[in-house]
Amino acid sequence: RSLGLLSSLMHEDETPGLFNKYLYELTSRSFQESWAGIDRSNPLFVREEKFTDYRVRRSLRLMQQQFTETIGMEELARQSGLSRPHFFSLFKKQMGVSPNIYLNTLRTERAIRELVTTNKSVTDISTDLGFSSQASFTRFFASNVGIPPSEYRRVGFST
């Protein structure tokens, strides 16, 4: 229903607010649908057991404390007491995703929170998250979320 309405609203100039509302709704539903078929036992969805390896727990703590800085995976592995290959293998086994994906998720979540809950400029948010430029942040955000940060903010605030 929303898709048909959305396409018809694209041709009307009088209702940009309504268009934005339905675009946001469609995006939201798409996101929910993408998680609908997820196996609930998947470590990405719910993790019932504690992480048993202290080195993985340490790396998680380090990533959460330093995700706004440029963290080299080699250095993170070293600080966790593991070689890089062993670190990647153990992390993926325990977390279900690579350390890079986990780190990108932390940065994306913070970016979304900042875009929705603050009036900071996209440039300020990109700097706060440790990106070298707004352009690199915009590319990162668009590749992980699907739309540029300024568009995400605009659509998110117009509902």
Side-chain angles (χ1 to χ4, degrees), residues 23-132:
L23 178 61
Y24 180 79
E25 181 184 327
L26 183 62
T27 304
S28 217
R29 284 186 183 173
S30 297
F31 181 76
Q32 290 168 359
E33 285 294 317
S34 69
W35 286 98
I38 297 295
D39 175 10
R40 304 240 182 232
S41 65
N42 184 317
L44 278 175
F45 195 79
V46 174
R47 186 81 185 183
E48 300 210 4
E49 63 191 56
K50 292 283 183 194
F51 304 112
T52 56
D53 195 287
Y54 70 94
R55 297 164 296 187
V56 171
R57 288 194 311 267
R58 177 163 173 66
S59 71
L60 292 171
R61 229 180 0 266
L62 290 168
M63 280 192 255
Q64 289 166 353
Q65 293 168 352
Q66 302 172 5
F67 74 91
T68 60
E69 303 165 19
T70 304
I71 302 173
M73 289 298 137
E74 190 76 38
E75 177 63 18
L76 188 58
R78 190 190 63 70
Q79 288 182 20
S80 299
L82 297 165
S83 67
R84 190 176 194 280
H86 191 203
F87 170 64
F88 269 77
S89 174
L90 188 61
F91 192 97
K92 181 148 183 154
K93 181 180 177 188
Q94 294 242 324
M95 295 297 296
V97 295
S98 73
N100 291 322
I101 290 175
Y102 184 83
L103 190 58
N104 285 347
T105 302
L106 288 175
R107 294 176 103 185
T108 302
E109 287 174 347
R110 172 64 69 87
I112 288 170
R113 186 171 53 244
E114 295 286 314
L115 288 167
V116 172
T117 63
T118 72
N119 291 324
K120 289 182 184 178
S121 69
V122 173
T123 302
D124 288 344
I125 293 170
S126 70
T127 301
D128 291 350
L129 289 172
F131 286 89
S132 59

Side-chain angles (χ1 to χ4, degrees), residues 143-155:
S143 71
N144 285 288
V145 177
I147 58 174
S150 56
E151 186 70 12
Y152 186 92
R153 175 176 268 168
R154 188 183 67 75
V155 171

Side-chain angles (χ1 to χ4, degrees), residues 2-3 5-12 14-26 151 154-155 158:
S2 293
L3 186 56
L5 190 54
L6 186 61
S7 62
S8 67
L9 287 173
M10 288 175 74
H11 301 288
E12 298 178 21
E14 306 87 47
T15 57
L18 192 56
F19 174 81
N20 291 340
K21 177 181 181 233
Y22 282 110
L23 178 61
Y24 180 79
E25 181 184 327
L26 183 62
E151 186 70 12
R154 188 183 67 75
V155 171
S158 67

